[in-house]
Amino acid sequence: MRDQPTEEAPLSENAMSPTREDDAVLLFVGGPLDGRVDIRAARHGEPLPTITHVHLHDGPKVVHRYDLHPLTDSAGVYHLRSRHSG
């Protein structure tokens, strides 16, 4: 066993994967993901037109669907689908 405290090395700028010019910036509006910003790497293809978020907890599962509204080729907003939409 070691008695000496360990020091954490600071992360270098290269430790995080850099975003590329063709990556997509996606903002979520409404529901449990409200305000979340995701970067979708271009290598994963185009952002999906709809994303389903499932929250599991002690009660029944809660499902939210978000529909993509593109802003530019590399940015879009996922809006929470209303419960009355199909």
Side-chain angles (χ1 to χ4, degrees), residues 20-79:
R20 294 182 11 175
E21 195 173 302
D22 51 350
D23 292 346
V25 177
L26 304 165
L27 171 67
F28 289 81
V29 176
L33 300 181
D34 188 43
R36 180 176 182 172
V37 177
D38 282 343
I39 307 295
R40 182 177 173 89
R43 71 178 180 273
H44 296 301
E46 295 294 318
L48 300 172
T50 300
I51 289 184
T52 302
H53 176 264
V54 179
H55 178 73
L56 302 174
H57 53 86
D58 292 335
K61 71 179 178 179
V62 179
V63 178
H64 294 90
R65 287 187 174 73
Y66 291 84
D67 296 311
L68 179 62
H69 298 267
L71 298 175
T72 67
D73 287 342
S74 61
V77 178
Y78 278 106
H79 288 277

